[in-house]
Structures are given as C-alpha cells and as structure tokens.
Amino acid sequence: MDFAFSEEQEQLRGFAREFLASRYDDARLAEIADSSTGVDEDVWGRLASMGWLDQDLTFLDQAVLFEETGYRPLPAPYFSTVALAAPALDAEAGKRVASGALKATLAWAEPGRPQALLDPVETSVSDGRLTGAKTLVPDGAVADLFVVVAADGLYAVEAGDAEVTPRSTIDGTRRVADVRFSSAPARALASGEEARVLLGRVRDRAYAALALEGVGVAQRALDLLVAYAKEREQFGKPIGVYQAVSHKASNVYVRLQEARSLAYWAAWCVSEDDEMARQACLAAKALAGSAAVFACENAIQGHGGIGFTWEHVLHRYYKRAQWLAAFDGPARAQRAEVAAFLLD
C-alpha cells in the first residue's frame, strides 16, 4: 500500500513553498506581524485564483497547504476559514469562499465559561435572532462571516451584524477577537444532533490542520538550526560538530518525525472519514504542538545569543508553535481523551 502523497500533491507542495517564500521573507513577515491587523490584505484573492480555497480539494490536498503555511506562516485567515468554518457552511457560502469573496471563522468560546470546542454554551437564538458573546474568535476582526455555536445548533451571522473587539495575541499573524451579538439576524446551518456531530468533525479537522502546521513549524526551526550549525564557527570548527549542538538537532529530528507520522495519519483519517479519525486527530494535535514548541526552543538555544533577539525570525515561529499547542486546551487534555478511548 502506498502511504505517500501523490505526485500532484507534491507538486502543489513545491509551488506553495515557492509562493510563500517569495511573498513572505523574514522582513516582510515581521512587518505584517507588527502591523495594525497582522494580515496581508491582498493575498486572499490570490489564494482563490491559485485554487487554495476550492471546495473540490480533498483534505489530503489541504494537508499539504497546512503544512507549508506552518513552514512559512501565512498571514491570512486560511485556517479559520478552511478548517474551522468551511465544513459548516452551506453551498452558497462555500462558493463565496472559493471565489475569494468571503472570509469566515468559527465563534464558540464564551467569557467566564469552559472554552473548549465541545463545551456547552449559552448563546441563544429566538425568531431568527442570535444573542450572546463570544471570545477568542480566531481572525474575528477580519472575518466577513461568523459560524456561531449556539445552545441549539450552528448559525451563520454576517460580520456587519456583530460588535467586534480585536484582542492582542502572542502570534501577531494569527489574532483573535471578542464578538458580541445583540439580536443579530442568524441563518441556521445545523441543529440538534446534526450540529453536535458536525462540530465534532470540525474539531477533528482543526486538530489535524494544526498538527500539520506544527510539523511545518518544527521543520522550519530544524532547518534554521542545521543551517546555522554549519556556518557558525567556534574554535575553528562549525558548531555542528560539537555534541551540545548536534544532539539538539538530532533530538528535534526524532520528535519531528514522530509528529509528522501522526499528522499524516490524522489527515488521511479525516480525508477518508475513517472510524479512527477522532483518536488520530487527538494524538496528532497533542504531539505536534509540543514538538513544534520543542523544536523552536532548541533552535533558539542552538543559535545562542542571536536566537533570543527580536530581530531574528525564530521568535515568530516560537509564538506560532505556542498558539498551536494551546488551541482548544493543552496537550494533556488531548492525551486524556486518547487514554479514555484506550481504557474505557
């Protein structure tokens, strides 16, 4: 059995890496991350023209893109639209996304309450009007449409009918917002058990996407560490020949390969709607998030003094890694669910 990506998917990977590298060198990425919005306003239409937002892409096709947008962070609401919101959107909204006319996100967490994706919420809908407050909404300040988790289902609300307050986050290219809805017109997307099952699938998809991004972040951190270890000399030799540095690189490599295997398994399970998807996505997210943080920390240490400076790009990857690892709860929460699958 062939477990590799197809030739077309590898071509997509090469094109994506070339596009992102040419558009977002380290200086440009820093400029956008430190801007008022943290978003490249001009890239969304370009993503649509390249087919990155097409509805007919399989999740394995998207998996390649998620990994590459971890390797070179994409300052656009790609994750929030494609991974979080798109699975719940109706056909018409999906077409708007594919054309580049719509950016969407999922709003689920509420202030003062447990904030995991599957936790109960209080947001209510009456006579087609939605009332409630959401917090930590990914890309909430730049979204055109919110898929809102309410007590009785999922609803679509236009951004113009919501009060949005941007919040600062550790990762300047992936920001969140508080959103308040006061009797906002809402269009039902799913209700009851259908909504519960759909939200579970959204979580699986999001976990797999984040695991793939984490693999990309870890690979980039390792590449930066190896390149520096080859060029930086100490006592007349490249520092990579010393065990204190080479062991860091080898340890990162091992963790990266473990994370990559689980992330690819999770992506396949989501794409095939396999019965093991829930376990695979939980395991992949838990391991890849921590592996990305581990890779960045070791790469920073391997760079010595310059690794800790604001000017070096590594701190931006470190922040993205921490964002990925913290999403929807720490790794121990996902490991606890995996344990429950195995032991109960």
Side-chain angles (χ1 to χ4, degrees):
M1 183 177 292
D2 185 6
F3 289 98
F5 286 101
S6 69
E7 181 180 350
E8 291 78 10
Q9 288 162 344
E10 290 298 345
Q11 289 174 346
L12 176 61
R13 180 191 303 281
F15 175 78
R17 181 165 297 195
E18 180 181 348
F19 169 75
L20 292 168
S22 64
R23 191 175 183 94
Y24 303 115
D25 60 19
D26 295 346
R28 177 60 175 153
L29 185 63
E31 178 185 348
I32 295 173
D34 297 336
S35 69
S36 60
T37 64
V39 170
D40 180 356
E41 303 287 352
D42 300 324
V43 77
W44 195 250
R46 184 71 182 276
L47 298 182
S49 67
M50 294 188 299
W52 288 27
L53 307 177
D54 284 358
Q55 293 175 289
D56 56 356
L57 288 180
T58 69
F59 191 75
L60 284 180
D61 297 330
Q62 293 172 343
V64 171
L65 299 175
F66 282 121
E67 186 176 348
E68 291 307 312
T69 56
Y71 189 83
R72 183 78 65 167
L74 171 63
Y78 184 74
F79 166 74
S80 58
T81 299
V82 175
L84 290 177
L89 295 177
D90 54 30
E92 182 59 34
K95 291 178 181 178
R96 291 170 63 195
V97 169
S99 69
L102 180 70
K103 299 182 287 291
T105 189
L106 182 72
W108 72 93
E110 297 181 349
R113 295 178 60 83
Q115 297 176 345
L117 263 166
L118 302 185
D119 283 333
V121 298
E122 291 185 340
T123 300
S124 62
V125 177
S126 177
D127 297 327
R129 298 279 178 168
L130 185 144
T131 299
K134 297 295 183 179
T135 189
L136 303 177
V137 180
D139 295 310
V142 297
D144 305 306
L145 182 77
F146 296 102
V147 175
V148 184
V149 180
D152 63 342
L154 302 178
Y155 293 84
V157 179
E158 298 290 337
D161 296 317
E163 178 184 338
V164 180
T165 304
R167 293 181 59 177
S168 61
T169 56
I170 191 171
D171 183 355
T173 60
R174 181 164 288 169
R175 303 185 187 182
V176 298
D178 293 333
V179 185
R180 183 171 295 276
F181 306 96
S182 300
S183 193
R187 185 174 74 257
L189 299 173
S191 61
E193 180 65 14
E194 179 189 1
R196 188 192 68 79
V197 172
L198 178 57
L199 192 58
R201 290 178 176 173
V202 167
R203 189 181 76 151
D204 292 345
R205 185 184 182 93
Y207 279 12
L210 291 171
L212 291 156
E213 278 197 37
V215 168
V217 169
Q219 183 66 66
R220 176 70 167 153
L222 177 60
D223 289 350
L224 289 169
L225 173 58
V226 170
Y228 185 73
K230 289 179 178 179
E231 68 183 30
R232 176 73 167 94
E233 292 190 359
Q234 190 69 274
F235 306 113
K237 298 178 181 178
I239 62 173
V241 305
Y242 301 110
Q243 290 184 351
V245 177
S246 61
H247 282 185
K248 289 185 182 298
S250 61
N251 289 338
V252 169
Y253 178 81
V254 171
R255 293 282 290 273
L256 171 59
Q257 297 312 310
E258 293 171 345
R260 175 172 279 124
S261 295
L262 276 179
Y264 287 178
W265 177 41
W268 181 85
C269 286
V270 170
S271 183
E272 298 297 317
D273 198 21
D274 188 81
E275 62 181 9
M276 292 291 289
R278 179 62 49 85
Q279 296 95 311
C281 294
L282 286 164
K285 195 269 183 181
L287 183 57
S290 59
V293 172
F294 178 81
C296 291
E297 288 176 345
N298 279 269
I300 289 171
Q301 292 167 15
H303 278 72
I306 68 169
F308 289 88
T309 62
W310 182 261
E311 290 77 14
H312 201 283
V313 74
L314 266 171
H315 77 90
R316 303 198 183 275
Y317 285 91
Y318 189 33
K319 290 172 180 176
R320 173 59 61 90
Q322 291 175 313
W323 197 101
L324 299 175
F327 180 88
D328 204 40
R332 64 176 179 273
Q334 287 99 52
R335 289 196 295 267
E337 283 199 57
V338 173
F341 275 111
L342 296 175
L343 301 176
D344 292 350

